[in-house]
Amino acid sequence: MTHTAQTLDALGWRAQFAAQVTAAEAGRVVPVRVMAVHRGQIAVAGAGADWLVSPYIAGALPGDDHPTVGDWLLLDAETVQPIRVLARTSLFTRRAPGDPTKEQMIAANVDTVFVVASCNQDFSVARLERYIVLAREAGVPAVVVLTKTDLTDTPETFAAAARAIEPGLRVELVNGRDASDVARLAGWCGVGQTVAFLGSSGVGKSTLVNTLQGSDRIATQAIRAADDTGRHTTTVRQMHRLAGGGWLLDLPGMRELQLAEAATGIAEIFDDFTAAAEECRFSDCSHGVEPGCAVQAGIAAGTLDAERFTRWRKLVAGAAATPGRAGKRRGR
């Protein structure tokens, strides 16, 4: 055990977690947050102390929840053994490697998702839409963060394309190496707040984290000049303290989240097509050549965008075809 000066509130403890601790448990448990997941051990932090503990909960049955990074966990005050995981406000999962019928938990109790893309040839509206759908399905607000603004003369062109995805979508343009620029993200990174990043490799996530932390603790890797992409630079599932007192989850595997059972998120992001589809003559309309298709009528009239229609159909098809779960939606 390592003694620290941190408080539960600073770690993100809130009323909905406190309400889950019973009167009988109150005197014999210690609430802690999972800060990092290693093989065979998890790093947890509580009020005034840090521990490395086993991730296994005594008496847990196959299929029971097990701790993942961001979770709140109750430890036995005497043995420091995990007792149970508290109900989450949000949870991201992906297909388990080697078994597409099972899921692997990636991150829990996230307050905001930063969907990161770069202002270069790697920019993709379709990829942004996919990440925003995943965040929405998990019930987590998304903010699009466009990086590498110093490498283009027309950053607003990229911002306009991102804002067109959804009315009211928050889009921030930042140079990840400029602390004053990155400071505009501070409102989501205050004491006790937890943010996570979604974005492909090479878009500047690690650089952003370093600037938000005021350090270079996360190793960055040079971009391949040929295609402006990079390799994964984050290898440990962990939480990083930010200069503003918040916490950031920069996790390997986040970009591999699947769209399974993401129908709600897709319907919300593509609400224009969802509304039009409800007006089709046939309830099982595929929006192709069927008579009375309101979607095709909207495209012909110019009220619906044909390229956006193609992306919508691709996301719907991907959600229907992918086994497992992408995220467990939680009421907030």
Side-chain angles (χ1 to χ4, degrees):
M1 179 178 69
T2 302
H3 292 282
T4 65
Q6 66 212 0
T7 65
L8 288 181
D9 288 345
L11 290 167
W13 184 253
R14 292 181 186 149
Q16 59 262 50
F17 301 122
Q20 298 177 53
V21 181
T22 67
E25 290 175 325
R28 61 182 182 86
V29 299
V30 177
V32 295
R33 195 166 193 195
V34 179
M35 309 304 288
V37 175
H38 307 282
R39 291 193 178 187
Q41 284 186 317
I42 54 176
V44 299
D50 299 331
W51 294 267
L52 279 175
V53 302
S54 166
Y56 303 107
I57 299 175
L61 300 174
D64 284 355
D65 280 350
H66 57 275
T68 192
V69 65
D71 264 329
W72 280 97
L73 179 68
L74 297 182
L75 300 182
D76 185 291
E78 293 185 2
T79 66
V80 199
Q81 293 300 305
I83 296 175
R84 64 186 176 92
V85 177
L86 298 182
R88 305 162 173 117
T89 59
S90 63
L91 175 64
F92 287 99
T93 69
R94 68 173 178 179
R95 286 185 295 174
D99 189 347
T101 65
K102 295 182 179 180
E103 65 180 10
Q104 179 184 40
M105 292 184 291
I106 298 297
N109 301 316
V110 175
D111 297 307
T112 306
V113 169
F114 287 152
V115 178
V116 186
S118 52
C119 296
N120 58 11
Q121 65 193 52
D122 191 48
F123 180 85
S124 167
V125 170
R127 190 181 300 127
L128 284 177
E129 287 173 337
R130 180 178 181 275
Y131 287 139
I132 294 168
V133 164
L134 288 167
R136 185 62 59 85
E137 187 65 23
V140 183
V143 177
V144 174
V145 180
L146 300 181
T147 64
K148 304 186 180 180
T149 57
D150 56 318
L151 301 182
T152 177
D153 294 328
T154 58
E156 276 299 332
T157 301
F158 295 92
R163 293 188 185 103
I165 292 173
E166 180 186 25
L169 179 64
R170 188 66 179 265
V171 178
E172 296 290 343
L173 286 160
V174 301
N175 175 355
R177 299 183 185 280
D178 186 334
S180 61
D181 230 21
V182 175
R184 68 188 62 185
L185 305 179
W188 295 282
C189 304
V191 175
Q193 294 291 309
T194 302
V195 298
F197 280 3
L198 282 174
S200 59
S201 296
V203 297
K205 297 191 303 294
S206 294
T207 300
L208 267 179
V209 175
N210 293 339
T211 304
L212 284 167
Q213 285 186 306
S215 71
D216 58 357
R217 287 174 54 193
I218 296 180
T220 56
Q221 183 168 320
I223 303 300
R224 295 196 300 272
D227 58 5
D228 285 336
T229 61
R231 300 180 184 276
H232 280 300
T233 57
T234 307
T235 57
V236 179
R237 295 160 56 197
Q238 62 183 315
M239 297 178 66
H240 304 277
R241 185 184 290 278
L242 301 176
W247 298 93
L248 185 140
L249 292 167
D250 188 25
L251 309 172
M254 284 292 277
R255 74 168 184 168
E256 298 162 10
L257 293 172
Q258 303 298 320
L259 284 170
E261 296 184 16
T264 301
I266 294 171
E268 291 179 357
I269 299 303
F270 291 87
D271 57 351
D272 48 349
F273 284 96
T274 302
E278 292 177 352
E279 302 299 321
C280 290
R281 180 184 302 176
F282 302 107
S283 60
D284 60 348
C285 183
S286 67
H287 316 302
V289 297
E290 294 92 340
C293 175
V295 171
Q296 287 297 331
I299 293 173
T303 57
L304 295 176
D305 181 80
E307 292 184 3
R308 183 170 160 82
F309 168 70
T310 300
R311 298 195 301 269
W312 173 59
R313 290 232 296 189
K314 185 175 181 179
L315 285 174
V316 170
T322 307
R325 288 200 295 270
K328 292 183 178 179
R329 192 173 181 86
R330 294 287 187 270
R332 296 183 66 80

